[in-house]
Amino acid sequence: MIKSVVEALKQVGSSFKLEPFGTIIQPIIEDVLAEHKKDKYRKGTILTPLIMVWLVLTLTLRRDINYPKTLNWMVSGLRWLCLDMPAKLVKDGAISHARVKWGMTVFRDIFYKFVLSFTSINPDFHRWATVMFDGTSMTMPDTESNRDKFGKPKSNRCSGAFPQMRAVALLIMSARLVFDVAYAPFKGKKTGERTLMLKILKKIKRKDFLFLFDAGFYSFFSIMVYERKGT
């Protein structure tokens, strides 16, 4: 029997992946970690680079449980290797500290490399692939950097409890994939959904997209941009 959680994770820590997503995205994660020189780790650590990346991605799937329980869910299949693996794998605050230390650049580059892998998108409307713009807003962790970048919504009496962000995504309808995302503070100049939509649109080079959007995105200027791009 393997005697410690570190020993058990050592067997998979350098090659950990979460199926069914691992086959597609694992090479991308490994490439980005190597590019950012984050593929090395201290001997004996549980939160190896691959496990940490997969943990952050898994948190978007298991929003019903907290950080430690998500990590436990990820590695639950290893318990047959280590029968005395504790329920609590890392110290309190270790995951939060690691997320802050890692920042966002690794995950941003993983996303864009994943998007670049969409070399072939099958048309679903005659010769076109339908894509759609959609917007949303979300609260952010109440950190100093988020307060400076996004600010808190204000009312006549007080301000909100958390910084708030506006985001617009371009979605590939047939594949159910996010092709690009633009975000900004919830309030302020040039932070509206149409502005964020145009920010994405100006980067699109493809000529096989049929763009859909609701009335909130409509403007004569955006129609002119579509026309000039030949879409």
Side-chain angles (χ1 to χ4, degrees), residues 39-161:
D39 53 337
K40 309 299 181 184
Y41 56 93
R42 179 173 49 83
K43 183 179 180 180
T45 185
I46 293 176
L47 296 175
T48 64
L50 276 174
I51 288 180
M52 191 62 208
V53 169
W54 278 113
L55 174 58
V56 172
L57 298 179
T58 304
L59 286 169
T60 66
L61 301 175
R62 295 305 312 268
R63 290 180 291 177
D64 57 319
I65 53 179
N66 59 22
Y67 287 5
K69 287 183 178 180
T70 301
L71 177 61
N72 188 47
W73 178 78
M74 285 173 52
V75 302
S76 58
L78 297 178
R79 293 193 177 278
W80 69 274
L81 291 174
C82 180
L83 299 181
D84 61 348
M85 183 181 290
K88 187 175 182 180
L89 301 176
V90 295
K91 296 180 179 179
D92 291 336
I95 297 174
S96 297
H97 178 75
R99 285 196 66 181
V100 172
K101 185 177 179 180
W102 272 65
M104 61 165 285
T105 55
V106 167
F107 303 97
R108 180 194 61 197
D109 290 353
I110 289 172
F111 170 74
Y112 282 115
K113 277 184 177 288
F114 181 58
V115 169
L116 289 174
S117 69
F118 305 160
T119 54
S120 177
I121 301 174
N122 294 327
D124 59 326
F125 184 78
H126 299 283
R127 63 185 181 90
W128 304 96
T130 55
V131 295
M132 180 178 180
F133 284 107
D134 198 9
T136 187
S137 61
M138 59 192 77
T139 56
M140 306 293 291
D142 190 15
T143 63
E144 183 177 354
S145 60
N146 282 340
R147 289 193 295 269
D148 292 340
K149 185 173 181 62
F150 299 104
K152 293 184 177 182
K154 295 182 179 180
S155 64
N156 293 332
R157 296 183 178 180
C158 59
S159 61

Side-chain angles (χ1 to χ4, degrees), residues 163-181:
Q164 200 165 10
M165 179 181 75
R166 187 193 308 278
V168 169
L170 179 63
L171 313 171
I172 302 175
M173 304 298 289
S174 60
R176 290 180 171 83
L177 294 171
V178 178
F179 192 80
D180 203 354
V181 176

